[in-house]
């Protein structure tokens, strides 16, 4: 980001494209890359060391549908209402969302009759949003897209991106685009997995091809400053295993909230991006891999049945780093039609429909979708009632 030197601290090995679910009869060669993470010795940004071409990840068949979780639907409804109440109060307010996916957030903005545009390169999910009446442009957001939007629709009061900015390596182009498309007093609000939570919980599965950056208040403040913007607010979020919502405005345009200084101070006190902290994180990750594999092998030797729950993008990292294949886990259940009947990337676990989970219940279920644990455990309460146990690996390997 700043041109500083990167120091590698974690190597998660050869990994596939995390959302490239394969037809069982596919014969084409699978794409792999080296999933390694480093931190910038100048601006502290934590990022992947190899970049997967964006068209290999985000295309017409991108399988992730954001509306698959009721907790996330509620989260984004609340988010939209916040924008409607606090930012989009003018006569002709305009909001642009990057990575609107199936319209989980924009739906509420559209229903309120407020001008909006979703920018979504993955045409399939974008089409689902269009089906809800939402305006979607099938494109990667970057400087040229932003200039076109500004010319056609005018400038936006809010640009919002959830779990999307961290997917975009080319941030210089993004910020030139933001400069072109935001009004003078407008805000850029984005939320992504927080490095502070990833390190605290050792949630190493947040690291996969799509997640290129792992932000902190400090690295975001440095990023903003390089482009004439300023970090004016931060908010910790509990969704997706711990995120931060960052609000950026043009330098001097808005007062800086106290929360910014507080989070910056907390990060410094923790030594969050110090080499020793990141090296200790890498050591914990290797220990989790060893413990998880030991547990799965032991359960298999004891004759227990073990399946997996939630074919997340995150689980590509876990399965491929730990070497979990169909010999240890016969299948993973998932509610996403586009994933069912396919094999997970690299590890080739068959993805099956959720009804398979209960017929009959297994002895153990490896919860790949651990970030939705509350929602899933309450929906699947009959599993534990039948004597079943969940296997979790965040923040350590344990049974629930
Ligand atoms: O950042 C990203 C996040 C927002 O979404 C993207 N890069 C890709 C994707 O990551 P993920 O696949 O790790 O996200 P989730 O939300 O943890 O995926 C949950 C998976 O579990 C989905 O495939 C749906 C499935 N699921 C299920 O089978 N039953 C989810 C719930 C809530 C359920 O009850
Ligand atoms: N905002 C949704 C979707 C997150 S998944 C949510 O929080 O659930 C990440 C999304 O970013 C995908 O839908 C992907 O197609 C999109 N994306 C990737 N690169 C992008 C870019 N340059 N501009 C806009 N969207 C992008």
């Amino acid at each position: 980001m700043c041109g500083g030197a990167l120091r590698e601290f974690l190597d998660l090995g050869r990994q596939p494209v995390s959302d490239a679910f394969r037809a069982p009869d596919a014969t084409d060669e699978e794409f792999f890359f080296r999933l390694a993470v480093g931190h910038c010795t100048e601006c502290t940004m934590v990022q992947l060391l190899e970049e997967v071409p964006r068209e290999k990840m985000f295309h017409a068949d991108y399988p992730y549908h954001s509306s698959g979780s009721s907790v996330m639907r509620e989260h984004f409804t609340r988010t939209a209402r916040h924008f409607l109440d606090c930012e989009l109060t003018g006569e002709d307010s305009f909001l642009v969302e990057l990575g609107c996916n199936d319209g989980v957030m924009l739906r509420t903005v559209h229903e309120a009759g407020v001008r909006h545009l979703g920018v979504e390169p993955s045409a399939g999910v974008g089409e689902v949003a269009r089906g809800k009446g939402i305006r979607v442009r099938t494109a990667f957001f970057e400087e040229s897209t932003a200039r076109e939007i500004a010319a056609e629709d005018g400038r936006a009061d809010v640009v919002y991106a959830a779990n999307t900015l961290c997917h975009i390596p080319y941030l210089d182009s993004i910020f030139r685009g933001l400069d072109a498309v935001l009004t003078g007093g407008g805000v850029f609000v984005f939320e992504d997995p927080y490095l502070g939570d990833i390190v605290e919980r050792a949630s190493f599965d947040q690291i996969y091809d799509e997640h290129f950056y792992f932000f902190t208040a400090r690295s975001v403040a440095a990023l903003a400053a390089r482009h004439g913007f300023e970090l004016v607010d931060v908010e910790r979020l509990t969704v997706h295993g711990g995120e931060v919502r960052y609000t950026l405005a043009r330098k001097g345009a808005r007062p800086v909230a106290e929360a910014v200084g507080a989070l910056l101070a907390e990060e410094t006190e923790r030594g969050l991006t110090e080499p020793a902290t990141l090296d200790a994180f890498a050591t914990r990750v290797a220990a989790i891999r060893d413990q998880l594999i030991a547990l799965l092998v032991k359960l298999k030797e004891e004759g227990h049945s073990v399946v997996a729950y939630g074919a997340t993008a995150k689980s590509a990292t876990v399965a491929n780093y730990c070497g979990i294949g169909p010999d240890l886990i016969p299948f993973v259940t998932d509610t996403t039609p586009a994933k069912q009947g396919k094999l997970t990337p690299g590890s080739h676990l068959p993805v099956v429909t959720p009804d398979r989970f209960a017929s009959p219940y297994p002895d153990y279920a490896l919860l790949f979708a651990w970030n939705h644990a509350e929602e899933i455990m309450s929906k699947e309460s009959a599993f534990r009632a039948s004597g079943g146990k969940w296997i979790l690996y965040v923040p350590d390997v344990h049974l629930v």
Side-chain angles (χ1 to χ4, degrees), residues 246-260:
Y246 305 91
T247 302
L248 269 48
R250 290 183 206 277
K251 187 158 180 48
R254 295 219 181 182
V256 179
E258 275 179 18
V260 174

Side-chain angles (χ1 to χ4, degrees), residues 19 58 62 64 66 68-70 72 162-164 166-167 193 208 210-211 240 309-315 333-336 339 354 368-369 371-372 375-376 379:
D19 265 315
F58 311 117
Y62 183 66
Y64 183 70
S66 303
S69 147
S70 63
M72 293 314 298
N163 306 300
T164 297
C166 76
H167 294 56
Y208 55 93
E210 296 177 22
H211 286 178
H240 286 310
Y309 200 106
T312 57
K314 293 183 287 294
S315 66
T333 78
D334 196 285
T335 48
T336 315
K339 296 181 183 178
F368 279 147
N371 47 311
H372 302 298
E375 177 176 349
I376 291 173
K379 167 163 99 178

Side-chain angles (χ1 to χ4, degrees), residues 332-392:
V332 48
T333 78
D334 196 285
T335 48
T336 315
K339 296 181 183 178
Q340 294 160 357
K342 303 269 181 64
L343 303 178
T344 58
S347 52
H348 298 183
L349 310 178
V351 184
V352 303
T353 49
D355 54 295
R356 286 280 300 279
F357 184 54
S359 50
Y361 279 125
D363 300 325
Y364 294 87
L366 178 59
L367 188 53
F368 279 147
W370 57 267
N371 47 311
H372 302 298
E374 225 178 284
E375 177 176 349
I376 291 173
M377 287 183 186
S378 103
K379 167 163 99 178
E380 300 287 3
S381 57
F383 167 54
R384 264 194 299 180
S386 80
K389 287 195 169 62
W390 295 101
I391 302 173
L392 284 112

Side-chain angles (χ1 to χ4, degrees), residues 58 62 66 76 99 101 119-122 140-141 162-164 168 170:
F58 311 117
Y62 183 66
S66 303
F76 286 120
N101 200 275
V119 184
E120 177 49 74
S122 299
F140 287 96
F141 185 86
N163 306 300
T164 297
I168 306 182
Y170 37 99

